[in-house]
Amino acid sequence: NAGVTQTPKFRILKIGQSMTLQCTQDMNHNYMYWYRQDPGMGLKLIYYSVGAGITDKGEVPNGYNVSRSTTEDFPLRLELAAPSQTSVYFCASSFQARSGNTIYFGEGSWLTVV
Amino acid sequence: DAKTTQPTSMDCAEGRAANLPCNHSTISGNEYVYWYRQIHSQGPQYIIHGLKNNETNEMASLIITEDRKSSTLILPHATLRDTAVYYCIVRVAEETSGSRLTFGEGTQLTVNP
């Protein structure tokens, strides 16, 4: 059972570099999300998407971009990496239903900007 | 989404029941109570959710007070592998403008041998 898959798991970036965190889900979920989690802190929503072609900002969108060209994929792009973006990034997906909206998370991507 | 309040940390002996409280006094009638947990260095894991009635699944039980202003997550027989941060979240099931799950600080549950 694949669920939500993120790549890469670990990455070190230099200040000013760009990169894309990949996320794919095989559950046909309409909603997808990107969170970041700093050490010892809770999760903060970066961006989310309610379906292909639709994205919206979360709590901390600055410095990031997303796209949702397909239901399955929701990549997160960092254009000019900064040390403040050192964090663990979690991708998640869910299916909106009348009985609730359970969110499933990937295993995380550890990013260090030096 | 309604704000929740949880204790910062709790301890529990292995094999005993772990009861994790959550206050959500501003919860609306259409908001569900969700519980997730995050074991160190892993992605958050869904545990259980409910609206009004108490719920039970293979992982835990959820007790919601009649006025819905608080709830308790019960792990009936805690094991060392249940050591994790537990998040209580309240949110609507259906949103036309988007769907988000906002995590607070949660409760660090430590199960001791």
Side-chain angles (χ1 to χ4, degrees):
Chain A
N1 299 331
V4 179
T5 304
Q6 297 178 229
T7 57
K9 193 165 181 69
F10 300 97
R11 182 72 186 269
I12 297 175
L13 275 181
K14 293 184 178 179
I15 295 171
Q17 285 187 320
S18 301
M19 76 158 296
T20 299
L21 297 176
Q22 302 292 343
C23 177
T24 187
Q25 52 93 8
D26 62 357
M27 297 174 282
N28 201 32
H29 285 169
N30 48 349
Y31 290 87
M32 294 189 75
Y33 317 80
W34 274 106
Y35 289 85
R36 61 176 285 173
Q37 186 174 34
D38 298 331
M41 306 294 287
L43 282 82
K44 294 183 179 179
L45 182 65
I46 305 172
Y47 271 96
Y48 68 100
S49 168
V50 302
I54 306 170
T55 63
D56 208 346
K57 297 177 180 179
E59 302 172 72
V60 289
N62 292 342
Y64 306 94
N65 281 300
V66 293
S67 60
R68 185 92 182 273
S69 57
T70 66
T71 299
E72 295 78 18
D73 301 307
F74 191 42
L76 177 73
R77 179 131 182 108
L78 286 72
E79 292 293 348
L80 293 170
S84 61
Q85 294 178 304
T86 294
S87 190
V88 182
Y89 291 83
F90 292 101
C91 180
S93 71
S94 70
F95 183 76
Q96 190 77 323
R98 293 179 65 86
S99 61
N101 185 336
T102 299
I103 296 185
Y104 297 89
F105 288 81
E107 289 304 306
S109 297
W110 274 251
L111 177 66
T112 301
V113 182
V114 297
Chain B
D1 295 340
K3 181 178 173 58
T4 63
T5 304
Q6 299 177 251
T8 302
S9 63
M10 294 182 64
D11 286 280
C12 176
E14 188 178 18
R16 305 297 293 270
N19 298 291
L20 291 89
C22 179
N23 287 322
H24 31 79
S25 58
T26 60
I27 192 170
S28 301
N30 62 344
E31 288 184 309
Y32 283 74
V33 179
Y34 285 81
W35 283 85
Y36 285 76
R37 74 180 183 184
Q38 187 173 24
I39 297 170
H40 183 61
S41 299
Q42 297 183 20
Q45 177 189 23
Y46 165 80
I47 303 173
I48 198 167
H49 77 283
L51 183 62
K52 297 179 184 178
N53 300 321
N54 298 337
E55 302 287 345
T56 296
N57 63 19
E58 65 278 5
M59 290 182 67
S61 295
L62 173 60
I63 309 298
I64 303 174
T65 58
E66 191 170 345
D67 63 8
R68 302 208 325 121
K69 293 185 177 182
S70 65
S71 61
T72 301
L73 178 74
I74 301 173
L75 308 178
H77 304 287
T79 70
L80 298 179
R81 288 177 295 180
D82 291 322
T83 293
V85 178
Y86 287 77
Y87 296 99
C88 168
I89 301 152
V90 293
R91 62 193 294 267
V92 296
E94 299 174 332
E95 281 192 44
T96 57
S97 60
S99 181
R100 298 169 288 178
L101 197 69
T102 302
F103 286 75
E105 300 305 317
T107 296
Q108 171 66 58
L109 174 68
T110 301
V111 181
N112 300 305

